[in-house]
Amino acid sequence: MQESVTAALAWIPLLPLLGFLILISVPLFSRMELPQGVSAAIGVGSVGLAALLTAFVALSVFRPDPDAVIQVSLWQWLSVADLQLGFNFYVDWLTLVMLSVITGVGFLIHLYSAGYMRGDSGYRRYFAYLNLFVCAMLLLVLADNLVLLYLGWEGVGLCSYLLIGFWYKDPVNGAAARKAFIVTRVGDTAMAIGLFLLFNQFATLNIRELLAATGGSVFNDPTITLAALLLLGGAVGKSAQLPLQTWLPDAMAGPTPVSALIHAATMVTAGVYLIARMHPLFSLSETAMSAVAVVGALTLLLAGCSALVQSDIKRVLAYSTISQIGYMFLALGVGAWSGAIFHLMTHAFFKALLFLSAGSVILSLHHEQDIFAMGGLRKRIPFTFVCFAIGCACLAALPFTSGFYSKDQILLSAWEFYHGFNGIWLAGILGALVTGIYSFRLLFLVFFGSEGSASAHCKDANSGVMTVPLLLLAILALVGGLLAPPLQSVFGQSDAGHPRSGSKLSPSPCH
C-alpha cells in the first residue's frame, strides 16, 4: 500500500505536466494541429486522473487515520554548501484539502472549458497553459521545503501571465497580463528576501525542520517578525491583498474559466496556504499576526465597497474575490487557521460556480459583460439563473449555505480572540453586510427587472459538457458547509488559535 500511495502522489503533479508537454510538443514535431476533441481529452483527462489519485490517497490513508502524514522522497535536488534539499513531498490534512480543491474544482473548470472555448483558434494552447498551471500549483502545496514551494509559486505566476494575456492580439489583454506579472513580482521579491533571512538564521529551508527550529525562538524576536512580514509581502502579492490588489480586476481580460480557476479557486489562495503552512512562525510575532489581520480587514472592506459600483459582471466577481481572500487573511490574523482553510474550500466551490455561471451569461449574450445591458434573464436561461442564485446565496452567507458556516467560524474566532467587541470583528460584520448588498445587486440587475438592450438577443449557450460542472459545483456550494476538514492534527485543537493573554500570543505547537 505504501508504494502505491507514493506512486500516486508522484503522479498527481506529473499527469498535468505530461498533458502540457504533449499538447505543446506534438504540433511542433508533427507539424499538425491536434483536433479540438483530442486536445480537450488530454487537458481534461490529465487533471481528472490527478483528481482520482487524490481521492485514492484520501480514502486509503487519511480516512482510516485522520492524523496521518505522508512523506515522499523522490530525488536529491539541490546540494550547495550547507543547503541540502530534496525534491520531496509532504502531505498532511492541509495539503490534502489543497490537493482536493486544485484537482477537483480544477477538473470541473477544465470540463466546462471544453465547451466554453470550443471553436477558439487557441484551443490546444489554452489547455496546455491550464495543465501547466495545475502542475505548478500542485508542486506549491506538495513541497516539503520552501525552495520547491517557491518554484511552484513562480510557476503559477508565469501561467497566470500566459492565461490572462491568452488573447494576446488585443493590446489591452497584453497590458493586463504584464501588470499582473509585475505587481506580483513585488511580493515575490519580498518573499525571496524572507527565505534568505530564514536560511541565514536557521540554516535550513525544509519546512518542518525550520518550524521546529523556530520553536526555541524568543517571542516577538525581531528577526522572526521581519521574516514573517516578508513572507506576508509575498502572500499579499499573490493573493491580491492591499496594497498589491490592483492586478486582479484587470486579470479578468482572460477567458472566464481562467478567472474561475486561477483568480477564484486556486492561485489567489496560495498566500493563504503559505501563511497557514508557516503558522508557528507567524504565531511567534504579535506584530506579524496583527499585520495579517489588519491587511485582511482593510482589504475585505475596500474591495467590497468597490464591488458595489462596478458595471462589468466579471469585475464585480473579481472584487468579490479580493474581499473574500481578505476574510481568509482576517481569519489567519486572529489564529483561526482552520476557519481560514474552511472558507478557502467553500469559497472555491461558490466562486467557481459564480464565474462559470457568469461565463454562460456572457456567451448567451454574445460576449456582453455590462450588467446594465442585461435584466430579466431568469426566464431565458433558467438553469444558469438557479446556479448563479445559489452562488450569490453562498457568497452572501445565507443560513445553511456553505459560506454561512465558514464565515460564522471566522467571525466567532475574531470575537473570541480579542475577548469581545473589537475592530477586526466589526470589519468582518460590515464586510458581510456589504457582500450581501453587492451579491444581490448583481443578481437582481442581471436576472430580474425589465430586459436590457442585450437580453432580447439572449440564447442559452450551455452545452451538456458545460451543464455538468455547474450542477456539481452548485451541489458542493450548498452542502460544502458539512465538509469541514479535520485540521486539528495540523493546527492543534483550538481553532480560535491563540487567544490573547495580556499582550502575548501563545505559539501553537508545530506538527
Side-chain angles (χ1 to χ4, degrees):
M1 175 64 75
Q2 181 64 36
E3 292 182 357
S4 60
V5 170
T6 299
L9 283 173
W11 277 100
I12 287 173
L14 184 58
L15 283 166
L17 178 60
L18 288 176
F20 163 76
L21 292 174
I22 293 171
L23 289 168
I24 286 295
S25 61
V26 168
L28 293 177
F29 292 106
S30 64
R31 295 185 179 181
M32 61 175 288
E33 187 64 41
L34 285 175
Q36 291 195 354
V38 175
S39 297
I42 295 171
V44 178
S46 61
V47 179
L49 289 173
L52 289 176
L53 290 176
T54 300
F56 166 73
V57 172
L59 294 174
S60 60
V61 177
F62 289 92
R63 184 180 182 183
D65 182 9
D67 297 330
V69 169
I70 307 171
Q71 301 178 46
V72 177
S73 298
L74 298 178
W75 65 80
Q76 184 69 23
W77 184 33
L78 292 176
S79 179
V80 181
D82 295 331
L83 180 61
Q84 308 291 323
L85 294 175
F87 204 97
N88 302 333
F89 297 155
Y90 178 81
V91 183
D92 56 10
W93 257 105
L94 175 58
T95 311
L96 185 65
V97 170
M98 297 300 296
L99 289 177
S100 301
V101 169
I102 296 165
T103 59
V105 177
F107 167 70
L108 295 177
I109 294 172
H110 273 69
L111 184 60
Y112 178 92
S113 297
Y116 185 90
M117 296 297 290
R118 185 175 292 125
D120 193 283
S121 59
Y123 197 83
R124 172 189 55 81
R125 178 169 56 90
Y126 172 83
F127 278 105
Y129 292 165
L130 280 190
N131 276 193
L132 182 61
F133 168 79
V134 170
C135 173
M137 191 71 196
L138 290 170
L139 280 180
L140 190 159
V141 300
L142 282 166
D144 86 328
N145 64 78
L146 289 173
V147 178
L148 184 57
L149 184 151
Y150 195 72
L151 175 65
W153 190 274
E154 292 300 320
V156 296
L158 169 64
C159 295
S160 177
Y161 168 79
L162 294 173
L163 285 164
I164 294 169
F166 178 74
W167 289 312
Y168 58 88
K169 293 182 180 179
D170 186 341
V172 174
N173 296 343
R178 290 192 298 274
K179 180 177 181 179
F181 192 78
I182 293 170
V183 171
T184 53
R185 291 294 78 70
V186 175
D188 295 355
T189 302
M191 180 178 172
I193 296 172
L195 300 190
F196 286 127
L197 180 63
L198 287 171
F199 181 72
N200 181 68
Q201 184 75 9
F202 300 104
T204 182
L205 286 175
N206 179 281
I207 294 174
R208 285 167 291 118
E209 293 176 1
L210 178 63
L211 296 180
T214 61
S217 300
V218 178
F219 183 72
N220 278 336
D221 178 87
T223 303
I224 294 291
T225 296
L226 179 58
L229 291 175
L230 288 168
L231 293 184
L232 173 60
V236 161
K238 196 67 74 181
S239 293
Q241 297 295 283
L242 202 70
L244 300 179
Q245 83 285 3
T246 57
W247 65 269
L248 185 59
D250 291 344
M252 297 301 109
T256 302
V258 168
S259 303
L261 179 65
I262 298 184
H263 307 117
T266 50
M267 173 181 162
V268 292
T269 60
V272 178
Y273 170 78
L274 174 66
I275 297 175
R277 176 56 73 195
M278 301 298 292
H279 72 278
L281 177 73
F282 281 83
S283 299
L284 289 169
S285 172
E286 186 173 9
T287 300
M289 291 287 285
S290 298
V292 174
V294 170
V295 165
L298 291 177
T299 303
L300 88 90
L301 290 175
L302 176 67
C305 292
S306 298
L308 282 171
V309 295
Q310 301 301 311
S311 60
D312 185 303
I313 187 172
K314 289 177 65 176
R315 289 182 74 88
V316 175
L317 297 178
Y319 280 107
S320 168
T321 295
I322 298 172
S323 181
Q324 296 308 301
I325 301 295
Y327 251 109
M328 299 172 207
F329 270 65
L330 184 154
L332 294 169
V334 298
W337 316 110
S338 297
I341 300 303
F342 185 25
H343 193 54
L344 183 156
M345 184 186 75
T346 60
H347 176 260
F349 297 153
F350 63 72
K351 189 52 66 65
L353 174 64
L354 282 168
F355 266 114
L356 297 187
S357 298
S360 296
V361 170
I362 292 168
L363 271 189
S364 299
L365 297 179
H366 310 287
H367 300 283
E368 177 60 65
Q369 295 184 199
D370 185 353
I371 58 177
F372 293 108
M374 303 177 188
L377 293 179
R378 71 186 187 282
K379 298 177 181 178
R380 292 181 176 270
I381 43 176
F383 177 74
T384 302
F385 161 65
V386 171
C387 292
F388 201 90
I390 291 172
C392 285
C394 295
L395 176 59
L398 292 188
F400 309 113
T401 63
S402 60
F404 169 79
Y405 292 105
S406 56
K407 284 188 182 181
D408 178 71
Q409 189 171 335
I410 292 171
L411 292 172
L412 178 61
S413 297
W415 178 272
E416 292 179 345
F417 187 74
Y418 291 99
H419 304 301
F421 186 87
N422 61 86
I424 298 298
W425 175 83
L426 182 60
I429 291 293
L430 291 175
L433 175 62
V434 172
T435 301
I437 295 172
Y438 72 67
S439 297
F440 287 96
R441 168 184 178 264
L442 179 62
L443 181 68
F444 292 146
L445 285 175
V446 174
F447 291 99
F448 290 87
S450 58
E451 292 189 351
S453 58
S455 300
H457 307 288
C458 177
K459 183 179 180 181
D460 195 345
N462 277 330
S463 61
V465 75
M466 296 166 65
T467 302
V468 172
L470 289 173
L471 179 61
L472 293 177
L473 284 169
I475 294 171
L476 287 171
L478 286 174
V479 305
L482 305 176
L483 305 177
L487 294 167
Q488 293 84 358
S489 61
V490 181
F491 301 124
Q493 295 298 319
S494 176
D495 179 64
H498 322 289
R500 293 199 166 193
S501 176
S503 61
K504 286 192 174 184
L505 298 163
S506 306
S508 70
C510 171
H511 296 279

